[in-house]
Amino acid sequence: MSDEAVREEDRQLLARAQDGDVSAFEALVDAHRDKVYGLALRMTRSEADAAEITQDTFLSAYQHLKDFRGDAAFGSWVHRIAANHALMRLRHRRVAQAAEQELKGPEFTERGSLAEYPQTDWSRDAEEKALDAELGTAIQQASDRLPEGYREVFLLKDVEGLSYEQIAAVTGDSIPAIKSRLHRARLALREAIDAFYNRDGREL
Amino acid sequence: MYNCKDSINLLLDYLDGEMSPEDAQHLREHLRGCSPCVEFLRTYRATPGLCKRALAAKMPKEVSDKLTEFLRSKIKSAS
């Protein structure tokens, strides 16, 4: 189904749910629960927290169903609610954080030129159907190593697809600060993927 | 003349399409003469998509059953 067809179906289900049709609301939950759960799991890295956040998110959505005007898609609305719930939970359990200086990025010479490193152009792999399982693990580990504020912004923007404005609204940070952290997070992740592809060259 | 470091710091704005005309000009000039940066741009651009796929998750069946049960009980007690 095209995005537009999905949205139209959501709109119809939403209208019925707003009129009190519980089965229509359940159909909306079925359609969006994987995305909400995925967001919560990536943000909190805890299956138990992710399950609870998903419950809380859809319960909030149900309780505010009448207030939802339908000017945004239902999917992005619940996504924002889920991001809020996940962030609140993270704020409550501030654990030992990786320091910012541990963020890796490209290395430059004194004159600001890219330092030499073995190169494999892996950009095309992003379009291939199957993702290498080991690469998947390497990316997950690299994302886990990002300092919390950087990981949050990267997940919300690049994985969940929220806009800078939406991220600013849920995190309370300024847009320039969000962009700067996103860039550093991308550089660190790019570095990790690059290291994965060039590991054989480096071991020699 | 921008060096690699300056250019790489502009990549986010470049991909967002939010660069001043002057910066865009400087970046283009640098990229024309620097193949490592062109390569870097390609992999920087591919990074979010690869990460998104690596981090995909699906809700396990028992969790979705619990979710349905939870919402039904809440909805019933509210009505």
Side-chain angles (χ1 to χ4, degrees):
Chain A
M1 230 186 326
S2 72
D3 284 357
E4 194 38 51
V6 170
R7 271 192 212 181
E8 183 48 39
E9 189 171 318
D10 279 359
R11 267 195 286 273
Q12 290 175 9
L13 287 170
L14 182 68
R16 281 169 47 206
Q18 285 176 323
D19 282 341
D21 180 345
V22 176
S23 70
F25 180 70
E26 287 188 352
L28 283 169
V29 173
D30 283 351
H32 296 279
R33 65 179 178 214
D34 279 340
K35 279 185 81 180
V36 166
Y37 177 79
L39 177 149
L41 182 63
R42 285 183 284 269
M43 301 274 296
T44 62
R45 287 174 281 188
S46 148
E47 286 172 9
D49 282 351
E52 278 182 32
I53 289 167
T54 311
Q55 292 185 348
D56 294 346
T57 298
F58 285 111
L59 183 60
S60 306
Y62 185 77
Q63 287 164 340
H64 296 98
L65 215 47
K66 293 252 179 336
D67 310 326
F68 182 62
R69 298 263 167 252
D71 40 2
F74 180 79
S76 31
W77 183 54
V78 287
H79 227 61
R80 281 211 306 281
I81 300 175
N84 259 319
H85 280 287
L87 279 172
M88 271 193 301
R89 203 162 280 236
L90 285 175
R91 301 275 185 267
H92 279 290
R93 58 147 216 240
R94 279 289 178 215
V95 280
Q97 295 243 0
E100 274 181 36
Q101 53 268 35
E102 286 169 29
L103 266 178
K104 281 202 173 160
E107 285 176 19
F108 298 101
T109 64
E110 269 176 35
R111 300 176 62 197
S113 300
L114 267 178
E116 290 281 330
Y117 55 89
Q119 288 190 346
T120 306
D121 180 11
W122 42 266
S123 61
R124 286 185 185 282
D125 285 19
E127 290 141 34
E128 279 177 19
K129 280 209 179 92
L131 185 78
D132 183 286
E134 271 185 67
L135 172 62
T137 309
I139 291 175
Q140 276 170 13
Q141 288 170 347
S143 139
D144 285 350
R145 280 198 303 270
L146 293 174
E148 205 55 55
Y150 292 76
R151 211 176 63 86
E152 285 169 12
V153 166
F154 156 73
L155 289 174
L156 291 174
K157 180 71 174 67
D158 282 349
V159 182
E160 312 302 340
L162 268 65
S163 68
Y164 294 122
E165 289 74 15
Q166 289 170 338
I167 297 171
V170 293
T171 61
D173 298 319
S174 73
I175 290 179
I178 290 169
K179 285 186 174 180
S180 147
R181 271 187 258 152
L182 176 65
H183 180 61
R184 299 272 309 272
R186 281 183 184 172
L187 290 178
L189 290 162
R190 198 212 72 90
E191 211 60 22
I193 301 172
D194 201 57
F196 174 84
Y197 277 100
N198 289 305
R199 64 197 158 154
D200 297 333
R202 278 180 185 177
E203 275 161 13
L204 288 174
Chain B
M1 187 76 178
Y2 281 19
N3 59 24
C4 299
K5 198 173 182 181
D6 302 323
S7 304
I8 284 170
N9 279 332
L10 290 170
L11 291 184
L12 181 108
D13 285 340
Y14 174 69
L15 293 180
D16 284 345
E18 285 180 9
M19 244 182 6
S20 69
E22 299 81 50
D23 276 346
Q25 180 64 26
H26 285 301
L27 181 63
R28 267 197 302 270
E29 273 169 22
H30 180 82
L31 289 178
R32 254 200 300 273
C34 182
S35 62
C37 273
V38 173
E39 188 86 5
F40 194 95
L41 165 62
R42 253 191 239 138
T43 48
Y44 179 91
R45 181 165 42 202
T47 296
L50 269 176
C51 291
K52 190 173 175 176
R53 289 170 58 200
L55 299 173
K58 229 181 156 187
M59 182 180 250
K61 173 86 168 70
E62 64 270 20
V63 181
S64 66
D65 288 347
K66 255 194 208 151
L67 173 66
T68 311
E69 200 183 303
F70 168 84
L71 289 173
R72 278 189 187 156
S73 72
K74 288 289 178 185
I75 291 169
K76 202 185 271 170
S77 65
S79 58

